Amino acid sequence: MKTVIEPFRTKVVEPIRFISRQDREGVLRKAGFNLFNLKAEDVIIDLLTDSGTSAMSTEQWAQLMRGDESYAGCSSFFRFQEAVSSIFGFEQVIPVHQGRAGERILFSELVKPGQHVLSNTHFDTTRANIENNGARAVDLPERSNREFGGNIDLKAVVRYIDKVGSDSIPLSMITLTNNSAGGQPAALANILEYAAILKKYGIPFFIDAARFAENAWLIKRREHPELTVMEIVRRVFEVADGCLMSAKKDGMANMGGFIAVRSHELCSRLKQNLILTEGFPTYGGLSGRDLECIALGLFEAMDESYLLYREKSTFYLARRLLDAGVPLIDPPGLHAVYLDAGAFLPHLRPQELPGQALVCELYLEAGIRSCEIGTLMFGRTEEDTGEEIAHEVELVRLALPRRVYSQSHYDYVIEAIVNVFERKKDISGMRIVWQPQFLRHFSAQMEPKSEKLHGEAAALGLSGAYDKL
Ligand code: F0G
């Protein structure tokens, strides 16, 4: 059979509420044109993130009942530890409530002011936690590889180490897949060579493993078809000294994460730090039932029929949009399709927030929630001049929750995007009317620059809705 089907059927359903166009208009305005401020029930298709939004399996739900909620030494911890160690090969496993908690703990132990941490691209929270310790988070992506757009630039790595000296690099990382660069994978060859360079310089190597199974799948498809996903995962992680994992992605869990390391000495330091804020080392901020769900979810994420379906559904969405001429990052990774909002809305300058204009338009068109990754997220307003400093790319991420949406949901998304694309010239830019000092995209308030924005809304006689926030 050529048709790839979802390797699961539905046992429980979560109804979608269909909010009218007119009501979408009202709630968007109330939200200050910031989709983080929407109530989830006002969203029809939620593509804000693939993090913590997976549908759990029957086995995971069944496993919840086995959760041992003892404060210390719960049996769920030992099942969790066994699962992590058997997949990743690290003996020491520390649960945390989510990825960034692991980042805070690891970097506050290892990273000192003035030091440098290299990566293909640091995810925002990773960068923030490194910088919070006074160090520099350095991105060295290799930009030229189409199939493995998540590779790290090995020549740049060597140049950088030689420039600052290996003593000032307490650890070096790679993010699999590279979320901040379109969810692109890194090749096995690239990871192994990177590890060898770090070993030569005596620099510990850590992996951000949030999407480790998706990365392994793309290695299988593009580089090593003869290996299983499990074999690829083992080869990747056996060259590392440790990893950080947000289990909200390829852990198939709604919450959780872990740090896993080889060194007993480092582990005992991390545990002392963990106890300060996350909890006792056998639960680390999670309940026993969460540990059970992750222990199983890590294996389910490596299931090759699941990964094939994941690839097919993401590529289906991307291919149909490309066929309609919609600009996007091609090839996509597995967890998201990234629209190129700059090319989608070429009449808007980055300062007019084309990504956010598109995000708002997709919500108005069809109740789809997506996320701007561009000047709203990474640009800034100069305090003295009020000048808006643009980011280098303007993207909109359609992140795809795992095992949640079907092909007809994606057909709906495609229709909406193509409709918007056909009347893109009518879409005007946005301006920021209020913003906080840090991480402005989460809470900034915006408004459209033109009353005539969002063509149909004006036709519905709702243009007055944009008057005041
Ligand atoms: N590393 C990567 C590569 C991530 O994508 C994320 C989260 C984290 C670390 C932090 O993990 O959220 O569990 O604290 N990414 C989410 C996203 C938020 O939408 O891409 P966390």
Short mmCIF file of all heavy atoms in Angstrom, two decimals, residues 91-152:
data_model
loop_
_atom_site.label_atom_id
_atom_site.label_comp_id
_atom_site.label_asym_id
_atom_site.label_seq_id
_atom_site.Cartn_x
_atom_site.Cartn_y
_atom_site.Cartn_z
N GLU A 91 24.12 6.55 32.74
CA GLU A 91 23.71 5.85 33.95
C GLU A 91 22.98 6.78 34.93
O GLU A 91 22.06 6.38 35.62
CB GLU A 91 24.98 5.32 34.64
CG GLU A 91 24.81 3.96 35.26
CD GLU A 91 26.11 3.55 35.89
OE1 GLU A 91 27.06 3.20 35.15
OE2 GLU A 91 26.19 3.60 37.13
N GLN A 92 23.42 8.04 34.96
CA GLN A 92 22.90 8.98 35.95
C GLN A 92 21.74 9.78 35.35
O GLN A 92 21.94 10.49 34.36
CB GLN A 92 24.00 9.97 36.39
CG GLN A 92 25.33 9.32 36.70
CD GLN A 92 25.23 8.40 37.90
OE1 GLN A 92 24.56 8.72 38.89
NE2 GLN A 92 25.87 7.25 37.80
N VAL A 93 20.57 9.69 35.96
CA VAL A 93 19.39 10.34 35.39
C VAL A 93 18.71 11.18 36.46
O VAL A 93 18.43 10.69 37.56
CB VAL A 93 18.40 9.29 34.84
CG1 VAL A 93 17.20 9.99 34.21
CG2 VAL A 93 19.08 8.37 33.83
N ILE A 94 18.46 12.44 36.11
CA ILE A 94 17.84 13.36 37.07
C ILE A 94 16.56 13.91 36.45
O ILE A 94 16.61 14.66 35.46
CB ILE A 94 18.81 14.53 37.37
CG1 ILE A 94 20.09 13.97 38.00
CG2 ILE A 94 18.16 15.57 38.26
CD1 ILE A 94 21.17 15.00 38.16
N PRO A 95 15.40 13.58 37.00
CA PRO A 95 14.16 14.16 36.44
C PRO A 95 14.03 15.64 36.80
O PRO A 95 14.47 16.05 37.88
CB PRO A 95 13.06 13.33 37.11
CG PRO A 95 13.66 12.71 38.31
CD PRO A 95 15.14 12.68 38.12
N VAL A 96 13.43 16.39 35.90
CA VAL A 96 13.11 17.81 36.17
C VAL A 96 11.72 18.09 35.60
O VAL A 96 11.23 17.33 34.77
CB VAL A 96 14.14 18.78 35.52
CG1 VAL A 96 15.49 18.69 36.19
CG2 VAL A 96 14.27 18.51 34.01
N HIS A 97 11.12 19.21 36.01
CA HIS A 97 9.72 19.41 35.60
C HIS A 97 9.57 19.78 34.13
O HIS A 97 8.55 19.53 33.52
CB HIS A 97 9.00 20.40 36.53
CG HIS A 97 9.23 21.83 36.19
ND1 HIS A 97 10.28 22.57 36.67
CD2 HIS A 97 8.55 22.66 35.37
CE1 HIS A 97 10.23 23.80 36.19
NE2 HIS A 97 9.20 23.88 35.39
N GLN A 98 10.59 20.40 33.54
CA GLN A 98 10.60 20.59 32.08
C GLN A 98 12.00 20.97 31.65
O GLN A 98 12.88 21.16 32.49
CB GLN A 98 9.55 21.58 31.61
CG GLN A 98 9.73 23.03 32.02
CD GLN A 98 8.59 23.89 31.49
OE1 GLN A 98 7.58 24.07 32.15
NE2 GLN A 98 8.74 24.45 30.31
N GLY A 99 12.20 21.10 30.32
CA GLY A 99 13.55 21.27 29.79
C GLY A 99 14.35 22.40 30.43
O GLY A 99 15.51 22.23 30.80
N ARG A 100 13.71 23.56 30.57
CA ARG A 100 14.47 24.72 31.03
C ARG A 100 14.93 24.59 32.48
O ARG A 100 15.90 25.24 32.88
CB ARG A 100 13.67 25.99 30.79
CG ARG A 100 12.43 26.14 31.60
CD ARG A 100 11.48 27.14 30.98
NE ARG A 100 10.90 26.64 29.74
CZ ARG A 100 10.05 27.32 28.99
NH1 ARG A 100 9.71 28.54 29.32
NH2 ARG A 100 9.54 26.80 27.88
N ALA A 101 14.25 23.77 33.26
CA ALA A 101 14.70 23.54 34.64
C ALA A 101 16.03 22.79 34.60
O ALA A 101 16.96 23.09 35.37
CB ALA A 101 13.65 22.73 35.41
N GLY A 102 16.15 21.84 33.68
CA GLY A 102 17.41 21.13 33.50
C GLY A 102 18.51 22.08 33.05
O GLY A 102 19.66 21.99 33.51
N GLU A 103 18.15 23.00 32.16
CA GLU A 103 19.14 23.98 31.68
C GLU A 103 19.65 24.82 32.84
O GLU A 103 20.85 25.03 33.00
CB GLU A 103 18.49 24.90 30.63
CG GLU A 103 18.13 24.18 29.34
CD GLU A 103 17.18 24.98 28.44
OE1 GLU A 103 16.74 26.08 28.84
OE2 GLU A 103 16.88 24.49 27.34
N ARG A 104 18.73 25.31 33.67
CA ARG A 104 19.13 26.17 34.78
C ARG A 104 20.10 25.43 35.71
O ARG A 104 21.13 25.95 36.09
CB ARG A 104 17.91 26.63 35.58
CG ARG A 104 18.25 27.70 36.63
CD ARG A 104 17.16 27.88 37.66
NE ARG A 104 16.89 26.70 38.48
CZ ARG A 104 17.68 26.22 39.44
NH1 ARG A 104 18.84 26.81 39.70
NH2 ARG A 104 17.35 25.13 40.12
N ILE A 105 19.76 24.17 36.00
CA ILE A 105 20.57 23.41 36.95
C ILE A 105 21.95 23.08 36.35
O ILE A 105 22.99 23.31 36.97
CB ILE A 105 19.82 22.12 37.36
CG1 ILE A 105 18.62 22.51 38.23
CG2 ILE A 105 20.74 21.15 38.10
CD1 ILE A 105 17.63 21.39 38.45
N LEU A 106 21.97 22.59 35.12
CA LEU A 106 23.25 22.21 34.50
C LEU A 106 24.17 23.42 34.33
O LEU A 106 25.34 23.39 34.72
CB LEU A 106 23.01 21.56 33.14
CG LEU A 106 24.28 21.03 32.47
CD1 LEU A 106 24.76 19.75 33.14
CD2 LEU A 106 24.07 20.77 30.97
N PHE A 107 23.61 24.51 33.79
CA PHE A 107 24.49 25.67 33.51
C PHE A 107 24.91 26.36 34.80
O PHE A 107 26.01 26.90 34.88
CB PHE A 107 23.80 26.65 32.56
CG PHE A 107 23.46 26.04 31.23
CD1 PHE A 107 22.26 26.34 30.59
CD2 PHE A 107 24.33 25.15 30.61
CE1 PHE A 107 21.94 25.76 29.36
CE2 PHE A 107 24.02 24.57 29.38
CZ PHE A 107 22.82 24.88 28.77
N SER A 108 24.05 26.36 35.83
CA SER A 108 24.49 27.06 37.04
C SER A 108 25.60 26.27 37.72
O SER A 108 26.40 26.84 38.46
CB SER A 108 23.32 27.37 37.98
OG SER A 108 22.73 26.18 38.42
N GLU A 109 25.71 24.98 37.45
CA GLU A 109 26.83 24.19 38.00
C GLU A 109 28.09 24.33 37.14
O GLU A 109 29.19 24.34 37.66
CB GLU A 109 26.45 22.71 38.09
CG GLU A 109 25.61 22.37 39.29
CD GLU A 109 26.27 22.74 40.61
OE1 GLU A 109 27.48 22.52 40.79
OE2 GLU A 109 25.54 23.28 41.48
N LEU A 110 27.92 24.39 35.82
CA LEU A 110 29.09 24.27 34.94
C LEU A 110 29.62 25.59 34.36
O LEU A 110 30.78 25.67 33.99
CB LEU A 110 28.75 23.34 33.75
CG LEU A 110 28.58 21.85 34.06
CD1 LEU A 110 28.41 21.06 32.77
CD2 LEU A 110 29.79 21.31 34.82
N VAL A 111 28.74 26.57 34.23
CA VAL A 111 29.10 27.75 33.42
C VAL A 111 29.43 28.95 34.31
O VAL A 111 28.68 29.27 35.23
CB VAL A 111 27.93 28.08 32.47
CG1 VAL A 111 28.18 29.37 31.72
CG2 VAL A 111 27.70 26.94 31.48
N LYS A 112 30.57 29.61 34.00
CA LYS A 112 31.00 30.76 34.81
C LYS A 112 31.00 32.02 33.95
O LYS A 112 31.09 31.94 32.71
CB LYS A 112 32.44 30.54 35.31
CG LYS A 112 32.63 29.27 36.14
CD LYS A 112 32.35 29.51 37.62
CE LYS A 112 32.30 28.23 38.43
NZ LYS A 112 31.33 27.22 38.03
N PRO A 113 30.90 33.19 34.60
CA PRO A 113 30.90 34.45 33.83
C PRO A 113 32.11 34.54 32.90
O PRO A 113 33.22 34.12 33.26
CB PRO A 113 30.97 35.53 34.91
CG PRO A 113 30.37 34.89 36.13
CD PRO A 113 30.75 33.43 36.04
N GLY A 114 31.87 35.06 31.70
CA GLY A 114 32.96 35.27 30.73
C GLY A 114 33.24 34.04 29.88
O GLY A 114 34.03 34.11 28.94
N GLN A 115 32.61 32.90 30.20
CA GLN A 115 32.86 31.70 29.39
C GLN A 115 31.97 31.64 28.15
O GLN A 115 31.13 32.52 27.94
CB GLN A 115 32.64 30.46 30.27
CG GLN A 115 33.70 30.35 31.38
CD GLN A 115 33.60 29.03 32.12
OE1 GLN A 115 32.51 28.55 32.40
NE2 GLN A 115 34.74 28.44 32.44
N HIS A 116 32.16 30.60 27.34
CA HIS A 116 31.44 30.48 26.06
C HIS A 116 30.86 29.06 25.94
O HIS A 116 31.53 28.10 26.30
CB HIS A 116 32.40 30.68 24.88
CG HIS A 116 33.22 31.92 24.99
ND1 HIS A 116 32.95 33.07 24.26
CD2 HIS A 116 34.29 32.23 25.78
CE1 HIS A 116 33.83 34.01 24.58
NE2 HIS A 116 34.66 33.52 25.51
N VAL A 117 29.64 28.97 25.43
CA VAL A 117 29.03 27.66 25.15
C VAL A 117 28.61 27.66 23.66
O VAL A 117 27.85 28.52 23.24
CB VAL A 117 27.81 27.38 26.05
CG1 VAL A 117 27.20 26.02 25.72
CG2 VAL A 117 28.20 27.45 27.53
N LEU A 118 29.14 26.69 22.90
CA LEU A 118 28.87 26.64 21.47
C LEU A 118 27.69 25.70 21.18
O LEU A 118 27.44 24.76 21.93
CB LEU A 118 30.09 26.14 20.69
CG LEU A 118 31.47 26.66 21.12
CD1 LEU A 118 32.54 26.13 20.16
CD2 LEU A 118 31.48 28.18 21.14
N SER A 119 27.01 25.96 20.06
CA SER A 119 25.94 25.05 19.63
C SER A 119 25.64 25.31 18.15
O SER A 119 26.09 26.32 17.59
CB SER A 119 24.67 25.30 20.46
OG SER A 119 23.66 24.37 20.09
N ASN A 120 24.88 24.38 17.52
CA ASN A 120 24.39 24.69 16.16
C ASN A 120 23.47 25.91 16.25
O ASN A 120 23.66 26.88 15.54
CB ASN A 120 23.70 23.48 15.52
CG ASN A 120 22.67 22.80 16.40
OD1 ASN A 120 22.50 23.14 17.57
ND2 ASN A 120 21.98 21.85 15.84
N THR A 121 22.48 25.89 17.12
CA THR A 121 21.73 27.09 17.53
C THR A 121 21.10 26.77 18.88
O THR A 121 20.44 25.75 19.04
CB THR A 121 20.59 27.44 16.54
OG1 THR A 121 21.09 27.39 15.20
CG2 THR A 121 20.04 28.84 16.81
N HIS A 122 21.31 27.66 19.83
CA HIS A 122 20.71 27.48 21.15
C HIS A 122 19.24 27.83 21.07
O HIS A 122 18.87 28.85 20.48
CB HIS A 122 21.37 28.42 22.17
CG HIS A 122 22.81 28.13 22.43
ND1 HIS A 122 23.23 27.22 23.36
CD2 HIS A 122 23.94 28.63 21.88
CE1 HIS A 122 24.55 27.17 23.39
NE2 HIS A 122 25.01 28.02 22.48
N PHE A 123 18.39 27.00 21.68
CA PHE A 123 17.00 27.40 21.82
C PHE A 123 16.95 28.59 22.79
O PHE A 123 17.84 28.74 23.61
CB PHE A 123 16.16 26.21 22.34
CG PHE A 123 14.72 26.56 22.50
CD1 PHE A 123 13.94 26.82 21.38
CD2 PHE A 123 14.13 26.66 23.75
CE1 PHE A 123 12.60 27.18 21.52
CE2 PHE A 123 12.80 27.01 23.90
CZ PHE A 123 12.04 27.26 22.78
N ASP A 124 15.90 29.43 22.70
CA ASP A 124 15.84 30.68 23.50
C ASP A 124 16.08 30.47 24.99
O ASP A 124 16.80 31.24 25.61
CB ASP A 124 14.49 31.41 23.47
CG ASP A 124 13.63 31.14 22.31
OD1 ASP A 124 14.08 30.47 21.37
OD2 ASP A 124 12.48 31.60 22.36
N THR A 125 15.42 29.44 25.57
CA THR A 125 15.56 29.26 27.02
C THR A 125 16.98 28.78 27.36
O THR A 125 17.52 29.10 28.41
CB THR A 125 14.54 28.25 27.58
OG1 THR A 125 14.70 27.00 26.90
CG2 THR A 125 13.11 28.74 27.40
N THR A 126 17.58 28.01 26.43
CA THR A 126 18.94 27.53 26.63
C THR A 126 19.88 28.73 26.65
O THR A 126 20.71 28.89 27.56
CB THR A 126 19.35 26.57 25.49
OG1 THR A 126 18.22 25.81 25.08
CG2 THR A 126 20.47 25.67 25.90
N ARG A 127 19.71 29.58 25.65
CA ARG A 127 20.53 30.80 25.57
C ARG A 127 20.35 31.63 26.84
O ARG A 127 21.32 32.07 27.46
CB ARG A 127 20.09 31.60 24.34
CG ARG A 127 20.63 33.03 24.28
CD ARG A 127 20.16 33.73 23.01
NE ARG A 127 20.69 33.04 21.84
CZ ARG A 127 21.94 33.15 21.41
NH1 ARG A 127 22.79 33.95 22.03
NH2 ARG A 127 22.34 32.48 20.37
N ALA A 128 19.09 31.83 27.24
CA ALA A 128 18.80 32.69 28.39
C ALA A 128 19.45 32.13 29.66
O ALA A 128 20.00 32.89 30.47
CB ALA A 128 17.29 32.82 28.57
N ASN A 129 19.41 30.80 29.81
CA ASN A 129 20.00 30.21 31.01
C ASN A 129 21.52 30.27 31.01
O ASN A 129 22.15 30.35 32.06
CB ASN A 129 19.51 28.77 31.19
CG ASN A 129 18.18 28.72 31.91
OD1 ASN A 129 18.10 29.08 33.08
ND2 ASN A 129 17.14 28.33 31.21
N ILE A 130 22.14 30.24 29.83
CA ILE A 130 23.60 30.39 29.73
C ILE A 130 23.96 31.85 30.04
O ILE A 130 24.83 32.13 30.87
CB ILE A 130 24.09 29.99 28.32
CG1 ILE A 130 23.94 28.48 28.13
CG2 ILE A 130 25.54 30.44 28.10
CD1 ILE A 130 24.12 27.99 26.70
N GLU A 131 23.21 32.76 29.42
CA GLU A 131 23.52 34.18 29.60
C GLU A 131 23.26 34.62 31.04
O GLU A 131 23.92 35.52 31.56
CB GLU A 131 22.73 35.02 28.60
CG GLU A 131 23.26 34.81 27.17
CD GLU A 131 22.43 35.49 26.10
OE1 GLU A 131 21.35 36.00 26.42
OE2 GLU A 131 22.89 35.49 24.92
N ASN A 132 22.30 33.98 31.67
CA ASN A 132 21.99 34.30 33.07
C ASN A 132 23.17 33.98 33.99
O ASN A 132 23.26 34.51 35.10
CB ASN A 132 20.75 33.50 33.49
CG ASN A 132 20.14 34.05 34.75
OD1 ASN A 132 20.12 35.25 34.95
ND2 ASN A 132 19.65 33.16 35.61
N ASN A 133 24.07 33.13 33.53
CA ASN A 133 25.28 32.83 34.30
C ASN A 133 26.47 33.66 33.83
O ASN A 133 27.61 33.35 34.12
CB ASN A 133 25.61 31.34 34.22
CG ASN A 133 24.64 30.51 35.04
OD1 ASN A 133 24.66 30.57 36.26
ND2 ASN A 133 23.77 29.79 34.37
N GLY A 134 26.18 34.69 33.04
CA GLY A 134 27.23 35.62 32.61
C GLY A 134 28.08 35.11 31.46
O GLY A 134 29.11 35.70 31.13
N ALA A 135 27.66 33.99 30.83
CA ALA A 135 28.47 33.44 29.73
C ALA A 135 27.84 33.79 28.38
O ALA A 135 26.73 34.32 28.32
CB ALA A 135 28.55 31.92 29.89
N ARG A 136 28.57 33.48 27.31
CA ARG A 136 28.06 33.75 25.95
C ARG A 136 27.56 32.46 25.32
O ARG A 136 28.28 31.45 25.33
CB ARG A 136 29.19 34.29 25.06
CG ARG A 136 29.30 35.79 25.06
CD ARG A 136 30.16 36.26 23.89
NE ARG A 136 29.46 36.14 22.61
CZ ARG A 136 30.03 36.33 21.43
NH1 ARG A 136 31.30 36.64 21.34
NH2 ARG A 136 29.31 36.21 20.33
N ALA A 137 26.35 32.50 24.76
CA ALA A 137 25.82 31.36 24.01
C ALA A 137 26.09 31.64 22.54
O ALA A 137 25.58 32.60 21.97
CB ALA A 137 24.32 31.22 24.26
N VAL A 138 26.95 30.81 21.93
CA VAL A 138 27.43 31.10 20.57
C VAL A 138 26.79 30.12 19.58
O VAL A 138 26.89 28.90 19.75
CB VAL A 138 28.98 30.95 20.51
CG1 VAL A 138 29.51 31.32 19.14
CG2 VAL A 138 29.62 31.80 21.59
N ASP A 139 26.13 30.65 18.56
CA ASP A 139 25.51 29.82 17.52
C ASP A 139 26.44 29.68 16.32
O ASP A 139 26.85 30.69 15.75
CB ASP A 139 24.20 30.46 17.03
CG ASP A 139 23.14 30.51 18.11
OD1 ASP A 139 23.24 29.73 19.07
OD2 ASP A 139 22.22 31.34 17.99
N LEU A 140 26.75 28.43 15.93
CA LEU A 140 27.62 28.22 14.77
C LEU A 140 26.97 27.22 13.80
O LEU A 140 27.48 26.12 13.56
CB LEU A 140 28.99 27.68 15.24
CG LEU A 140 29.79 28.61 16.17
CD1 LEU A 140 31.02 27.89 16.71
CD2 LEU A 140 30.20 29.89 15.45
N PRO A 141 25.81 27.59 13.21
CA PRO A 141 25.16 26.65 12.28
C PRO A 141 25.90 26.58 10.96
O PRO A 141 26.50 27.57 10.53
CB PRO A 141 23.78 27.28 12.08
CG PRO A 141 24.00 28.74 12.31
CD PRO A 141 25.09 28.86 13.34
N GLU A 142 25.87 25.38 10.35
CA GLU A 142 26.42 25.26 9.00
C GLU A 142 25.26 25.58 8.06
O GLU A 142 24.26 24.87 8.07
CB GLU A 142 26.88 23.81 8.78
CG GLU A 142 27.50 23.56 7.41
CD GLU A 142 27.67 22.06 7.16
OE1 GLU A 142 26.66 21.38 7.00
OE2 GLU A 142 28.80 21.59 7.14
N ARG A 143 25.38 26.61 7.29
CA ARG A 143 24.19 27.09 6.58
C ARG A 143 23.99 26.44 5.21
O ARG A 143 22.95 26.59 4.60
CB ARG A 143 24.23 28.61 6.43
CG ARG A 143 24.17 29.31 7.77
CD ARG A 143 23.87 30.79 7.63
NE ARG A 143 24.07 31.49 8.89
CZ ARG A 143 23.14 31.62 9.82
NH1 ARG A 143 21.95 31.13 9.65
NH2 ARG A 143 23.41 32.27 10.95
N SER A 144 24.99 25.71 4.73
CA SER A 144 24.96 25.32 3.32
C SER A 144 24.32 23.95 3.06
O SER A 144 24.07 23.59 1.92
CB SER A 144 26.39 25.31 2.78
OG SER A 144 27.17 24.48 3.63
N ASN A 145 24.04 23.15 4.10
CA ASN A 145 23.61 21.78 3.87
C ASN A 145 22.07 21.70 3.84
O ASN A 145 21.41 21.93 4.84
CB ASN A 145 24.17 20.86 4.98
CG ASN A 145 24.04 19.41 4.64
OD1 ASN A 145 23.01 18.97 4.15
ND2 ASN A 145 25.11 18.65 4.87
N ARG A 146 21.51 21.36 2.69
CA ARG A 146 20.05 21.37 2.52
C ARG A 146 19.39 20.24 3.31
O ARG A 146 18.38 20.44 3.97
CB ARG A 146 19.72 21.26 1.04
CG ARG A 146 18.34 21.72 0.68
CD ARG A 146 18.11 21.64 -0.82
NE ARG A 146 16.98 20.79 -1.12
CZ ARG A 146 15.71 21.14 -1.06
NH1 ARG A 146 15.40 22.36 -0.73
NH2 ARG A 146 14.74 20.31 -1.35
N GLU A 147 19.96 19.05 3.24
CA GLU A 147 19.34 17.90 3.89
C GLU A 147 19.57 17.90 5.40
O GLU A 147 18.74 17.39 6.14
CB GLU A 147 19.92 16.60 3.31
CG GLU A 147 19.55 16.42 1.86
CD GLU A 147 19.29 14.96 1.56
OE1 GLU A 147 20.24 14.19 1.75
OE2 GLU A 147 18.16 14.63 1.18
N PHE A 148 20.70 18.44 5.80
CA PHE A 148 21.02 18.48 7.22
C PHE A 148 21.28 19.92 7.65
O PHE A 148 22.39 20.29 8.04
CB PHE A 148 22.20 17.55 7.53
CG PHE A 148 21.81 16.10 7.44
CD1 PHE A 148 22.17 15.33 6.35
CD2 PHE A 148 21.03 15.52 8.43
CE1 PHE A 148 21.78 14.00 6.25
CE2 PHE A 148 20.64 14.18 8.34
CZ PHE A 148 21.00 13.43 7.25
N GLY A 149 20.21 20.70 7.57
CA GLY A 149 20.30 22.12 7.91
C GLY A 149 20.55 22.35 9.39
O GLY A 149 20.72 23.50 9.81
N GLY A 150 20.57 21.27 10.20
CA GLY A 150 20.84 21.43 11.63
C GLY A 150 22.30 21.14 11.98
O GLY A 150 22.67 21.15 13.16
N ASN A 151 23.12 20.88 10.97
CA ASN A 151 24.55 20.63 11.24
C ASN A 151 25.21 21.83 11.91
O ASN A 151 24.83 22.98 11.67
CB ASN A 151 25.30 20.35 9.94
CG ASN A 151 25.12 18.91 9.47
OD1 ASN A 151 24.48 18.11 10.12
ND2 ASN A 151 25.69 18.61 8.31
N ILE A 152 26.25 21.52 12.68
CA ILE A 152 27.07 22.60 13.24
C ILE A 152 28.26 22.79 12.30
O ILE A 152 28.73 21.84 11.67
CB ILE A 152 27.50 22.28 14.69
CG1 ILE A 152 28.18 23.49 15.34
CG2 ILE A 152 28.36 21.02 14.79
CD1 ILE A 152 28.16 23.46 16.86
#
